[in-house]
Amino acid sequence: GQGRGALPPAMAALGAYRCIECNGEATELYRDYRRGVLRISICKSCQKPVDKYIEYDPVIILINAVLCKAQAYRHILFNTKINIHGKLCVFCLLCEAYLRWLQLQDSSQNTDPDDLIRYAKEWDFYRMFGIASLEQTSFFIGIFITLWWMKPEMLKKKSDLILLLKALLLSTYGKLLLIPAVIWEHDYTPLCLAFIKVFVLISNSQAIRVTLNLNRILPWIAIFFGLIFENGVVCLFQKMGWDV
């Protein structure tokens, strides 16, 4: 077919790619016949295009990812060279810390403009960031432990662990919705925050499922135990006297 200009040149290089339909391995995503003639590779297993998204606009891919389509997740994780998971994680944690800090300020009636009070409020933001980081780390550790216990053969290699961590970090993008939910505050804000939490968990589940090629049940079991581990760590620090 005719190229639309959305195909990155690096995609034509030989390498390890995945079919977004059946998760089968492929050596290339498309073949360039020059003069603008490109042909998307066909998967040998399912006889479907290896990755139809390489011709799609990024906005369409994002919409499909928001809809938690497995094909979009496979495209992003296996067939692109996205390397923003670290920055995205930090930004999402900042969003969550800001929300908690804002709620903390709303509960405080102290309006003293003294510098000491301002410094205390700034420290509260850093503390909220630390708590959010601790909770997310505990959540991920719980997921890794559960998956390693139930499917140890899936996480034998360091590359498997790194890929799963990258998938989990990318799938937390839903936390970015916390900021507009707070800015456009209304009577249904608590309900919106609950929906955002559920959406992030659904995204985490899809990321685990796609990365390790699992059924729908096992990722949710891992997420359940991840939440238990997260709450257990928080309770432990609270019993130790930490203001968590």
Side-chain angles (χ1 to χ4, degrees):
Q2 295 293 327
R4 300 183 184 179
L7 297 168
M11 287 292 110
L14 293 179
Y17 301 109
R18 296 286 184 88
C19 173
I20 64 171
E21 300 293 341
C22 68
N23 203 41
E25 293 186 356
T27 56
E28 60 183 2
L29 298 181
Y30 66 87
R31 183 160 296 181
D32 189 353
Y33 291 96
R34 299 184 180 180
R35 295 183 180 179
V37 179
L38 303 171
R39 182 184 179 187
I40 297 179
S41 300
I42 302 299
C43 178
K44 296 179 180 178
S45 300
C46 64
Q47 301 302 313
K48 294 181 180 180
V50 172
D51 191 345
K52 62 183 179 181
Y53 286 116
I54 61 176
E55 284 194 314
Y56 284 27
D57 188 272
V59 175
I60 303 299
I61 299 173
L62 178 60
I63 292 174
N64 280 263
V66 170
L67 295 174
C68 290
K69 290 190 176 183
Q71 294 89 339
Y73 274 70
R74 290 192 184 104
H75 167 78
I76 294 171
L77 293 174
F78 298 121
N79 299 338
T80 62
K81 300 185 183 297
I82 293 179
N83 195 31
I84 62 169
H85 48 282
K87 295 178 181 179
L88 180 63
C89 173
V90 172
F91 193 70
C92 287
L93 289 174
L94 287 172
C95 291
E96 190 167 354
Y98 174 75
L99 174 63
R100 297 184 181 197
W101 177 79
L102 197 62
Q103 292 174 335
L104 186 65
Q105 300 309 308
D106 289 342
S107 63
S108 175
Q109 301 300 321
N110 196 332
T111 58
D112 194 333
D114 189 81
D115 286 344
L116 183 62
I117 300 299
R118 290 203 300 269
Y119 289 146
K121 290 182 177 180
E122 183 179 350
W123 168 248
D124 282 337
F125 176 79
Y126 296 139
R127 183 166 61 88
M128 292 299 107
F129 180 82
I131 293 173
S133 302
L134 172 66
E135 291 182 356
Q136 180 163 294
T137 301
S138 303
F139 176 62
F140 286 170
I141 291 175
I143 289 176
F144 276 97
I145 292 175
T146 304
L147 292 173
W148 181 83
W149 176 64
M150 301 185 72
K151 291 281 187 179
E153 70 279 2
M154 295 263 182
L155 300 173
K156 284 185 177 180
K157 299 179 181 178
K158 182 180 178 180
S159 58
D160 296 331
L161 295 171
I162 294 175
L163 180 61
L164 179 58
L165 178 60
K166 177 181 177 180
L168 287 171
L169 291 175
L170 288 175
S171 64
T172 59
Y173 67 92
K175 290 184 179 180
L176 299 177
L177 297 173
L178 291 172
I179 295 300
V182 172
I183 293 176
W184 298 322
E185 184 176 2
H186 48 68
D187 295 338
Y188 300 102
T189 296
L191 183 61
C192 291
L193 298 180
F195 276 125
I196 291 172
K197 177 67 174 179
V198 172
F199 175 73
V200 171
L201 293 178
I202 292 174
S203 299
N204 292 154
S205 171
Q206 193 70 307
I208 297 172
R209 179 189 170 209
V210 167
T211 304
L212 301 180
N213 198 25
L214 301 174
N215 56 34
R216 296 178 183 272
I217 298 178
L218 190 54
W220 279 110
I221 295 176
I223 286 175
F224 175 73
F225 282 102
L227 291 172
I228 292 178
F229 191 80
E230 173 188 329
N231 292 324
V233 170
V234 171
C235 291
L236 176 63
F237 279 108
Q238 287 176 340
K239 287 185 177 180
M240 292 172 59
W242 289 33
D243 190 10
V244 175

